Amino acid sequence: MLQQVLDLKTLWPDTTGDELVEKVEALFTGETLDRTEIHLALGLPPSFDALSEIYRQWTGKPADPVIESAQADIVLAAKEYYNDRRIRHPLQLYAFLVGLLGGLPPRQAALLARMRTHRITRGSIGIDDILRKWGVTGFKGTSIQGYDGGPACSMLKHYHQPVGFMRGPINDIIYAKSLLPCILSQSMVLTSNNISPSLMLDLLERRYIHPGTHRQQLLDNITQGLRRTDKQARAKYGVTNFTVQPIFHPIMPLLPDKSQRLQMLWGEAVHHYFFTGEILEDHEAYRKSRLVFLPEMAYTHQTLELIAELGYRGTILPGTSTNVDISLPYRIETAKGDLKVFFRDEELSIDIAFHQAERFHRIMGNRALGNAQRPHYTTCSMDGETFGYHNVHGVALLSRLLREDIPGSQRAAVPLQAVMHSLHEDQWEQIALDDINPSGSWSCQCETTLTNLLAAKIPEELKQYILSLGLANDISRLVRWFHPCKDAGTSDFDPLRWKIPLRAGLRNALVGLHELYTEATKGLLKNSDDALAEYINIKLRAIDGTIKKAHIDNFIDEHFRDRVPRHPELFRFVVTLMEGIYHAEAAQTSCATFWDKYCGLEPQYCVVHMSNAIALFKKVLRGRQLLGTVETEFEAALNNTYDSRTSKTPSAAQLYRDVVESYDDADSIDIRPGKGPTLRFSYDWGKEELEFSPREHMHLGVILEAYGIRRLG
């Protein structure tokens, strides 16, 4: 029966949800069918609560204390389906359901379940052993009782993917294989978690454009699970265990000062809206309890001073950035205020990332025995995709590390925020800013200076690009994002010929567009920077479909000068420029120049974002001399990102022209997701081709329509 239902799905490839279920039921008139069974066969997964309930019924332990009602019909249907698929162990059924909940078709989910568990199901293993190896059992020891300020081992998981065009399928795999299992295993409650605002925007946006599909179910469950984790951490520790970061994952030292501040303001706004559904009002109170994660842990002293000035409580820095004892918590004095700092333990973090659990426990045990007279606060941090995505057994490894006692130690597995919240002021060691290297990151080990870089034998125009980045002389461990780097791997495409001009071109265009925005709006807005910072709230409401005219009226009343008429054309003018700045900032992501080849997806995503920004500015500022300069210089920089001798990828300049030209006949009301022409670009040296809409992340038309603007060119 289930196979018949599954095969019928191909008759209606564009039909989803209840409508598809009803069509299937109509073909089996007179037969008794279980709707849940049909949902499973069609790849429409059970709810988050139902999956947790399945786990509870098998183990006798709740996967989530919030679960109260049983849904036995889902359990029975799932058991029948996995028997049909020759899945023989409860763990495989659990993995199969995780796959369904992650949006995989049933056949793929069954295959994934067998692949994930074949190593531990070949022998005679009891259900408790299987579940323990899978890592979904509860946690024992001091960590389950809260935290009292004693020795701690804190782990931070960092999840990020860029705001890319047609990025959804890639993100969904990461959600299904990494985020969802970590949520269900409850390991996220015991760790610090950094979910980049880019992913939060992806979750908010795509939940509303895939109604009634298994993809929407996946996005809903990830969102619900993260919010539930946040509530559990607050109840357990009295503070959230999610960090805040700049919105588009930029390398902060490579941004102009204005953009560094704006990206922090937008990042905290997205973070607050994602977890509460409300606009952030009290920024000062919000920051007092927040730990900042700097993308790639890339910093300069100026970056740390900015975080302190804004009022954030602390951050995490690479262990290689100082010579002090990194097992202690520190308070740093800066010219703009004090900042709490934890230092990453590079050795242990790498052990976890490469799944060396035994080595991790041995080192931790030796350190505890050798330093029994004083408390230690070990900080490990790694990419969250390590667990479940890069390695299918990663969730089990993480659960084991968090669950098992460390020999000779009473240290608890708790989030960094719990440590920061619990320690008294006299428990923080005081150090000066000069005790930390002037710059650093966790992703680049190159040690050089600007003087040495400019003295190298590189073309003169590339030296000029480097100078335009506005860098201080000491740029140790920041080279990777604009110059060849030993940590980025090797390729046949010389990174010297594209990294420097692309990074400089993106930055210089951003600076130019900010200048244009300020000049064009200074007579209309009370404070152009304040209004731009608040624009993210309009954008968020447009993304999740809750934008109303009253929201825009309030925005206009707060930010437009009193004598400026409330004319729709003026609002369209201002909001078009703001949407352009949004995409110019999105183009600054670290991913643009992380690897040593332009022909990957991420560099081209950033070219598209900046192309969108310039196209929007041209819609309302055509003829401005500075805009012409920005456009000419950006296109010239893009011409230098292409080396025809080694790459089959179309030039960055051609991609830019294709995007900008797609706006020539565009009415501003049509600048929204799903509207406009479809373009193509190739990547991986022409081996693959991607079809995309340059307006996939545009919401200008949605905002204008909410204000009653129906048709304005």
Side-chain angles (χ1 to χ4, degrees), residues 246-283:
I247 183 171
F248 293 121
H249 202 273
I251 300 303
M252 289 284 276
L254 297 184
L255 286 182
D257 294 347
K258 179 179 289 189
S259 287
Q260 290 190 41
R261 186 179 299 270
L262 180 63
Q263 292 234 12
M264 286 302 307
L265 296 177
W266 279 1
E268 68 184 24
V270 172
H271 184 279
H272 183 79
Y273 192 84
F274 179 83
F275 283 106
T276 67
E278 299 175 353
I279 298 300
L280 178 60
E281 301 289 350
D282 192 344
H283 293 264

mmCIF file of all heavy atoms in Angstrom, residues 246-283:
data_model
loop_
_atom_site.group_PDB
_atom_site.id
_atom_site.type_symbol
_atom_site.label_atom_id
_atom_site.label_comp_id
_atom_site.label_asym_id
_atom_site.label_seq_id
_atom_site.Cartn_x
_atom_site.Cartn_y
_atom_site.Cartn_z
ATOM 1 N N PRO A 246 27.384 40.123 13.713
ATOM 2 C CA PRO A 246 27.028 41.003 12.597
ATOM 3 C C PRO A 246 26.169 40.249 11.580
ATOM 4 O O PRO A 246 26.351 39.044 11.368
ATOM 5 C CB PRO A 246 28.376 41.402 12.000
ATOM 6 C CG PRO A 246 29.364 41.165 13.084
ATOM 7 C CD PRO A 246 28.842 40.028 13.896
ATOM 8 N N ILE A 247 25.264 40.948 10.948
ATOM 9 C CA ILE A 247 24.186 40.302 10.198
ATOM 10 C C ILE A 247 24.671 39.417 9.050
ATOM 11 O O ILE A 247 24.173 38.304 8.877
ATOM 12 C CB ILE A 247 23.180 41.361 9.686
ATOM 13 C CG1 ILE A 247 21.996 40.685 8.965
ATOM 14 C CG2 ILE A 247 23.849 42.405 8.815
ATOM 15 C CD1 ILE A 247 20.866 41.629 8.631
ATOM 16 N N PHE A 248 25.649 39.871 8.261
ATOM 17 C CA PHE A 248 26.001 39.144 7.046
ATOM 18 C C PHE A 248 27.363 38.453 7.136
ATOM 19 O O PHE A 248 27.988 38.197 6.104
ATOM 20 C CB PHE A 248 25.979 40.085 5.838
ATOM 21 C CG PHE A 248 24.600 40.581 5.505
ATOM 22 C CD1 PHE A 248 24.314 41.941 5.493
ATOM 23 C CD2 PHE A 248 23.568 39.695 5.219
ATOM 24 C CE1 PHE A 248 23.048 42.409 5.195
ATOM 25 C CE2 PHE A 248 22.296 40.151 4.924
ATOM 26 C CZ PHE A 248 22.025 41.512 4.909
ATOM 27 N N HIS A 249 27.817 38.141 8.353
ATOM 28 C CA HIS A 249 29.049 37.384 8.544
ATOM 29 C C HIS A 249 30.229 38.023 7.811
ATOM 30 O O HIS A 249 30.950 37.367 7.058
ATOM 31 C CB HIS A 249 28.856 35.942 8.053
ATOM 32 C CG HIS A 249 29.825 34.954 8.662
ATOM 33 N ND1 HIS A 249 31.065 34.730 8.119
ATOM 34 C CD2 HIS A 249 29.735 34.133 9.726
ATOM 35 C CE1 HIS A 249 31.698 33.813 8.821
ATOM 36 N NE2 HIS A 249 30.916 33.438 9.815
ATOM 37 N N PRO A 250 30.469 39.312 8.034
ATOM 38 C CA PRO A 250 31.604 39.965 7.378
ATOM 39 C C PRO A 250 32.884 39.777 8.179
ATOM 40 O O PRO A 250 32.850 39.417 9.352
ATOM 41 C CB PRO A 250 31.195 41.440 7.393
ATOM 42 C CG PRO A 250 30.458 41.563 8.703
ATOM 43 C CD PRO A 250 29.720 40.255 8.889
ATOM 44 N N ILE A 251 34.021 40.019 7.545
ATOM 45 C CA ILE A 251 35.272 40.161 8.277
ATOM 46 C C ILE A 251 35.293 41.600 8.766
ATOM 47 O O ILE A 251 35.562 42.533 8.002
ATOM 48 C CB ILE A 251 36.480 39.855 7.373
ATOM 49 C CG1 ILE A 251 36.380 38.413 6.856
ATOM 50 C CG2 ILE A 251 37.779 40.048 8.143
ATOM 51 C CD1 ILE A 251 36.294 37.357 7.938
ATOM 52 N N MET A 252 35.004 41.803 10.030
ATOM 53 C CA MET A 252 34.764 43.144 10.553
ATOM 54 C C MET A 252 35.918 44.113 10.279
ATOM 55 O O MET A 252 35.683 45.260 9.882
ATOM 56 C CB MET A 252 34.452 43.068 12.044
ATOM 57 C CG MET A 252 33.093 42.471 12.357
ATOM 58 S SD MET A 252 31.740 43.610 12.046
ATOM 59 C CE MET A 252 31.739 44.531 13.597
ATOM 60 N N PRO A 253 37.199 43.718 10.462
ATOM 61 C CA PRO A 253 38.273 44.681 10.227
ATOM 62 C C PRO A 253 38.372 45.161 8.779
ATOM 63 O O PRO A 253 39.010 46.177 8.510
ATOM 64 C CB PRO A 253 39.536 43.906 10.629
ATOM 65 C CG PRO A 253 39.054 42.875 11.593
ATOM 66 C CD PRO A 253 37.715 42.480 11.084
ATOM 67 N N LEU A 254 37.769 44.431 7.837
ATOM 68 C CA LEU A 254 37.815 44.837 6.433
ATOM 69 C C LEU A 254 36.657 45.746 6.054
ATOM 70 O O LEU A 254 36.574 46.195 4.906
ATOM 71 C CB LEU A 254 37.820 43.599 5.523
ATOM 72 C CG LEU A 254 39.017 42.662 5.664
ATOM 73 C CD1 LEU A 254 38.932 41.538 4.650
ATOM 74 C CD2 LEU A 254 40.328 43.423 5.491
ATOM 75 N N LEU A 255 35.748 46.026 6.989
ATOM 76 C CA LEU A 255 34.620 46.904 6.725
ATOM 77 C C LEU A 255 34.937 48.332 7.146
ATOM 78 O O LEU A 255 35.669 48.548 8.110
ATOM 79 C CB LEU A 255 33.383 46.445 7.497
ATOM 80 C CG LEU A 255 32.631 45.199 7.035
ATOM 81 C CD1 LEU A 255 31.414 44.986 7.926
ATOM 82 C CD2 LEU A 255 32.215 45.300 5.585
ATOM 83 N N PRO A 256 34.356 49.319 6.473
ATOM 84 C CA PRO A 256 34.447 50.695 6.992
ATOM 85 C C PRO A 256 33.719 50.792 8.324
ATOM 86 O O PRO A 256 32.821 49.993 8.621
ATOM 87 C CB PRO A 256 33.758 51.527 5.904
ATOM 88 C CG PRO A 256 32.929 50.571 5.128
ATOM 89 C CD PRO A 256 33.620 49.247 5.200
ATOM 90 N N ASP A 257 34.095 51.754 9.139
ATOM 91 C CA ASP A 257 33.552 51.874 10.492
ATOM 92 C C ASP A 257 32.026 51.924 10.497
ATOM 93 O O ASP A 257 31.368 51.308 11.335
ATOM 94 C CB ASP A 257 34.118 53.116 11.176
ATOM 95 C CG ASP A 257 35.617 53.006 11.431
ATOM 96 O OD1 ASP A 257 36.145 51.889 11.311
ATOM 97 O OD2 ASP A 257 36.245 54.033 11.735
ATOM 98 N N LYS A 258 31.450 52.690 9.581
ATOM 99 C CA LYS A 258 29.992 52.835 9.537
ATOM 100 C C LYS A 258 29.312 51.490 9.327
ATOM 101 O O LYS A 258 28.301 51.182 9.956
ATOM 102 C CB LYS A 258 29.589 53.806 8.434
ATOM 103 C CG LYS A 258 28.085 53.999 8.286
ATOM 104 C CD LYS A 258 27.728 54.996 7.204
ATOM 105 C CE LYS A 258 28.082 56.402 7.627
ATOM 106 N NZ LYS A 258 27.553 57.412 6.681
ATOM 107 N N SER A 259 29.875 50.657 8.462
ATOM 108 C CA SER A 259 29.277 49.352 8.185
ATOM 109 C C SER A 259 29.462 48.383 9.346
ATOM 110 O O SER A 259 28.602 47.543 9.598
ATOM 111 C CB SER A 259 29.870 48.757 6.901
ATOM 112 O OG SER A 259 29.376 49.430 5.769
ATOM 113 N N GLN A 260 30.589 48.467 10.045
ATOM 114 C CA GLN A 260 30.768 47.610 11.219
ATOM 115 C C GLN A 260 29.647 47.845 12.224
ATOM 116 O O GLN A 260 29.046 46.900 12.752
ATOM 117 C CB GLN A 260 32.123 47.888 11.872
ATOM 118 C CG GLN A 260 33.321 47.417 11.062
ATOM 119 C CD GLN A 260 34.612 47.490 11.850
ATOM 120 O OE1 GLN A 260 34.650 47.154 13.033
ATOM 121 N NE2 GLN A 260 35.683 47.918 11.203
ATOM 122 N N ARG A 261 29.362 49.096 12.486
ATOM 123 C CA ARG A 261 28.304 49.435 13.442
ATOM 124 C C ARG A 261 26.932 49.010 12.926
ATOM 125 O O ARG A 261 26.129 48.423 13.653
ATOM 126 C CB ARG A 261 28.333 50.941 13.714
ATOM 127 C CG ARG A 261 27.388 51.420 14.802
ATOM 128 C CD ARG A 261 27.540 52.921 14.985
ATOM 129 N NE ARG A 261 28.892 53.267 15.398
ATOM 130 C CZ ARG A 261 29.265 53.342 16.676
ATOM 131 N NH1 ARG A 261 28.384 53.116 17.639
ATOM 132 N NH2 ARG A 261 30.504 53.667 16.987
ATOM 133 N N LEU A 262 26.667 49.278 11.648
ATOM 134 C CA LEU A 262 25.361 48.941 11.071
ATOM 135 C C LEU A 262 25.129 47.437 11.079
ATOM 136 O O LEU A 262 24.027 46.967 11.403
ATOM 137 C CB LEU A 262 25.278 49.483 9.641
ATOM 138 C CG LEU A 262 23.963 49.214 8.890
ATOM 139 C CD1 LEU A 262 22.793 49.900 9.585
ATOM 140 C CD2 LEU A 262 24.071 49.672 7.437
ATOM 141 N N GLN A 263 26.151 46.660 10.729
ATOM 142 C CA GLN A 263 25.977 45.203 10.700
ATOM 143 C C GLN A 263 25.728 44.647 12.094
ATOM 144 O O GLN A 263 24.974 43.683 12.260
ATOM 145 C CB GLN A 263 27.198 44.552 10.061
ATOM 146 C CG GLN A 263 27.322 44.854 8.577
ATOM 147 C CD GLN A 263 27.441 43.610 7.719
ATOM 148 O OE1 GLN A 263 27.220 42.484 8.161
ATOM 149 N NE2 GLN A 263 27.762 43.803 6.468
ATOM 150 N N MET A 264 26.320 45.236 13.121
ATOM 151 C CA MET A 264 26.027 44.804 14.487
ATOM 152 C C MET A 264 24.581 45.144 14.857
ATOM 153 O O MET A 264 23.873 44.320 15.461
ATOM 154 C CB MET A 264 26.994 45.464 15.474
ATOM 155 C CG MET A 264 28.405 44.906 15.471
ATOM 156 S SD MET A 264 28.516 43.128 15.818
ATOM 157 C CE MET A 264 27.599 42.999 17.344
ATOM 158 N N LEU A 265 24.125 46.350 14.520
ATOM 159 C CA LEU A 265 22.757 46.757 14.848
ATOM 160 C C LEU A 265 21.742 45.880 14.119
ATOM 161 O O LEU A 265 20.743 45.449 14.707
ATOM 162 C CB LEU A 265 22.544 48.230 14.472
ATOM 163 C CG LEU A 265 23.386 49.259 15.241
ATOM 164 C CD1 LEU A 265 23.124 50.663 14.708
ATOM 165 C CD2 LEU A 265 23.089 49.196 16.727
ATOM 166 N N TRP A 266 21.978 45.620 12.854
ATOM 167 C CA TRP A 266 21.066 44.764 12.105
ATOM 168 C C TRP A 266 21.111 43.320 12.613
ATOM 169 O O TRP A 266 20.089 42.636 12.671
ATOM 170 C CB TRP A 266 21.428 44.810 10.618
ATOM 171 C CG TRP A 266 20.883 46.025 9.914
ATOM 172 C CD1 TRP A 266 20.146 47.033 10.471
ATOM 173 C CD2 TRP A 266 21.045 46.359 8.526
ATOM 174 N NE1 TRP A 266 19.833 47.970 9.516
ATOM 175 C CE2 TRP A 266 20.370 47.582 8.310
ATOM 176 C CE3 TRP A 266 21.689 45.752 7.458
ATOM 177 C CZ2 TRP A 266 20.327 48.196 7.058
ATOM 178 C CZ3 TRP A 266 21.648 46.361 6.210
ATOM 179 C CH2 TRP A 266 20.968 47.567 6.017
ATOM 180 N N GLY A 267 22.301 42.852 12.997
ATOM 181 C CA GLY A 267 22.421 41.486 13.501
ATOM 182 C C GLY A 267 21.626 41.272 14.768
ATOM 183 O O GLY A 267 20.924 40.260 14.919
ATOM 184 N N GLU A 268 21.700 42.201 15.716
ATOM 185 C CA GLU A 268 20.953 42.040 16.962
ATOM 186 C C GLU A 268 19.451 42.164 16.718
ATOM 187 O O GLU A 268 18.648 41.509 17.391
ATOM 188 C CB GLU A 268 21.425 43.049 18.012
ATOM 189 C CG GLU A 268 21.108 44.495 17.716
ATOM 190 C CD GLU A 268 21.685 45.455 18.752
ATOM 191 O OE1 GLU A 268 22.665 45.085 19.425
ATOM 192 O OE2 GLU A 268 21.149 46.579 18.874
ATOM 193 N N ALA A 269 19.045 42.988 15.741
ATOM 194 C CA ALA A 269 17.624 43.130 15.426
ATOM 195 C C ALA A 269 17.059 41.827 14.874
ATOM 196 O O ALA A 269 15.958 41.391 15.260
ATOM 197 C CB ALA A 269 17.414 44.263 14.425
ATOM 198 N N VAL A 270 17.804 41.183 13.969
ATOM 199 C CA VAL A 270 17.362 39.903 13.406
ATOM 200 C C VAL A 270 17.308 38.841 14.495
ATOM 201 O O VAL A 270 16.351 38.056 14.580
ATOM 202 C CB VAL A 270 18.302 39.461 12.262
ATOM 203 C CG1 VAL A 270 17.957 38.043 11.813
ATOM 204 C CG2 VAL A 270 18.200 40.428 11.088
ATOM 205 N N HIS A 271 18.338 38.794 15.333
ATOM 206 C CA HIS A 271 18.405 37.812 16.421
ATOM 207 C C HIS A 271 17.196 37.940 17.335
ATOM 208 O O HIS A 271 16.521 36.950 17.653
ATOM 209 C CB HIS A 271 19.703 38.030 17.197
ATOM 210 C CG HIS A 271 19.950 37.038 18.284
ATOM 211 N ND1 HIS A 271 19.355 37.130 19.525
ATOM 212 C CD2 HIS A 271 20.735 35.934 18.332
ATOM 213 C CE1 HIS A 271 19.765 36.125 20.274
ATOM 214 N NE2 HIS A 271 20.603 35.394 19.588
ATOM 215 N N HIS A 272 16.889 39.144 17.770
ATOM 216 C CA HIS A 272 15.771 39.360 18.687
ATOM 217 C C HIS A 272 14.438 39.017 18.014
ATOM 218 O O HIS A 272 13.572 38.376 18.620
ATOM 219 C CB HIS A 272 15.766 40.811 19.161
ATOM 220 C CG HIS A 272 14.699 41.115 20.167
ATOM 221 N ND1 HIS A 272 14.813 40.790 21.493
ATOM 222 C CD2 HIS A 272 13.476 41.710 20.038
ATOM 223 C CE1 HIS A 272 13.732 41.169 22.144
ATOM 224 N NE2 HIS A 272 12.903 41.728 21.285
ATOM 225 N N TYR A 273 14.270 39.427 16.773
ATOM 226 C CA TYR A 273 13.010 39.174 16.061
ATOM 227 C C TYR A 273 12.807 37.674 15.835
ATOM 228 O O TYR A 273 11.687 37.162 15.954
ATOM 229 C CB TYR A 273 13.021 39.904 14.723
ATOM 230 C CG TYR A 273 11.679 39.955 14.036
ATOM 231 C CD1 TYR A 273 10.747 40.938 14.360
ATOM 232 C CD2 TYR A 273 11.325 39.021 13.064
ATOM 233 C CE1 TYR A 273 9.512 40.989 13.741
ATOM 234 C CE2 TYR A 273 10.100 39.065 12.439
ATOM 235 C CZ TYR A 273 9.193 40.051 12.778
ATOM 236 O OH TYR A 273 7.965 40.090 12.155
ATOM 237 N N PHE A 274 13.884 36.973 15.525
ATOM 238 C CA PHE A 274 13.774 35.536 15.263
ATOM 239 C C PHE A 274 13.271 34.792 16.495
ATOM 240 O O PHE A 274 12.414 33.908 16.397
ATOM 241 C CB PHE A 274 15.131 34.980 14.834
ATOM 242 C CG PHE A 274 15.123 33.494 14.562
ATOM 243 C CD1 PHE A 274 14.713 33.004 13.340
ATOM 244 C CD2 PHE A 274 15.519 32.594 15.541
ATOM 245 C CE1 PHE A 274 14.687 31.638 13.088
ATOM 246 C CE2 PHE A 274 15.506 31.228 15.305
ATOM 247 C CZ PHE A 274 15.088 30.751 14.069
ATOM 248 N N PHE A 275 13.793 35.135 17.657
ATOM 249 C CA PHE A 275 13.446 34.383 18.862
ATOM 250 C C PHE A 275 12.161 34.872 19.534
ATOM 251 O O PHE A 275 11.542 34.114 20.283
ATOM 252 C CB PHE A 275 14.601 34.428 19.865
ATOM 253 C CG PHE A 275 15.734 33.512 19.515
ATOM 254 C CD1 PHE A 275 16.922 34.009 19.008
ATOM 255 C CD2 PHE A 275 15.617 32.139 19.667
ATOM 256 C CE1 PHE A 275 17.969 33.170 18.670
ATOM 257 C CE2 PHE A 275 16.643 31.280 19.335
ATOM 258 C CZ PHE A 275 17.828 31.799 18.828
ATOM 259 N N THR A 276 11.775 36.100 19.286
ATOM 260 C CA THR A 276 10.599 36.636 19.991
ATOM 261 C C THR A 276 9.452 37.024 19.073
ATOM 262 O O THR A 276 8.316 37.147 19.533
ATOM 263 C CB THR A 276 10.988 37.887 20.805
ATOM 264 O OG1 THR A 276 11.344 38.949 19.905
ATOM 265 C CG2 THR A 276 12.164 37.586 21.725
ATOM 266 N N GLY A 277 9.732 37.246 17.787
ATOM 267 C CA GLY A 277 8.702 37.742 16.887
ATOM 268 C C GLY A 277 8.379 39.203 17.122
ATOM 269 O O GLY A 277 7.382 39.718 16.608
ATOM 270 N N GLU A 278 9.226 39.893 17.882
ATOM 271 C CA GLU A 278 8.977 41.292 18.220
ATOM 272 C C GLU A 278 10.174 42.156 17.815
ATOM 273 O O GLU A 278 11.301 41.682 17.723
ATOM 274 C CB GLU A 278 8.733 41.445 19.729
ATOM 275 C CG GLU A 278 7.522 40.663 20.230
ATOM 276 C CD GLU A 278 7.368 40.739 21.737
ATOM 277 O OE1 GLU A 278 8.287 41.299 22.390
ATOM 278 O OE2 GLU A 278 6.360 40.245 22.263
ATOM 279 N N ILE A 279 9.881 43.429 17.585
ATOM 280 C CA ILE A 279 10.929 44.380 17.245
ATOM 281 C C ILE A 279 11.728 44.725 18.503
ATOM 282 O O ILE A 279 11.162 44.931 19.574
ATOM 283 C CB ILE A 279 10.319 45.660 16.635
ATOM 284 C CG1 ILE A 279 9.571 45.315 15.344
ATOM 285 C CG2 ILE A 279 11.392 46.702 16.382
ATOM 286 C CD1 ILE A 279 10.427 44.686 14.277
ATOM 287 N N LEU A 280 13.044 44.782 18.378
ATOM 288 C CA LEU A 280 13.908 45.125 19.507
ATOM 289 C C LEU A 280 13.772 46.609 19.820
ATOM 290 O O LEU A 280 14.009 47.462 18.967
ATOM 291 C CB LEU A 280 15.366 44.786 19.173
ATOM 292 C CG LEU A 280 16.406 45.134 20.231
ATOM 293 C CD1 LEU A 280 16.119 44.407 21.534
ATOM 294 C CD2 LEU A 280 17.806 44.781 19.722
ATOM 295 N N GLU A 281 13.381 46.918 21.046
ATOM 296 C CA GLU A 281 13.193 48.308 21.469
ATOM 297 C C GLU A 281 14.313 48.764 22.409
ATOM 298 O O GLU A 281 14.915 49.811 22.209
ATOM 299 C CB GLU A 281 11.831 48.459 22.171
ATOM 300 C CG GLU A 281 10.631 48.075 21.302
ATOM 301 C CD GLU A 281 10.354 49.055 20.181
ATOM 302 O OE1 GLU A 281 10.975 50.137 20.174
ATOM 303 O OE2 GLU A 281 9.521 48.742 19.309
ATOM 304 N N ASP A 282 14.585 47.980 23.435
ATOM 305 C CA ASP A 282 15.571 48.373 24.444
ATOM 306 C C ASP A 282 16.923 47.754 24.097
ATOM 307 O O ASP A 282 17.290 46.685 24.589
ATOM 308 C CB ASP A 282 15.109 47.922 25.829
ATOM 309 C CG ASP A 282 15.933 48.541 26.949
ATOM 310 O OD1 ASP A 282 17.035 49.054 26.655
ATOM 311 O OD2 ASP A 282 15.484 48.508 28.107
ATOM 312 N N HIS A 283 17.688 48.429 23.246
ATOM 313 C CA HIS A 283 18.969 47.895 22.791
ATOM 314 C C HIS A 283 19.975 47.807 23.934
ATOM 315 O O HIS A 283 20.749 46.853 24.016
ATOM 316 C CB HIS A 283 19.530 48.783 21.676
ATOM 317 C CG HIS A 283 18.721 48.738 20.417
ATOM 318 N ND1 HIS A 283 19.028 47.919 19.357
ATOM 319 C CD2 HIS A 283 17.600 49.414 20.060
ATOM 320 C CE1 HIS A 283 18.144 48.088 18.396
ATOM 321 N NE2 HIS A 283 17.266 48.996 18.791
#
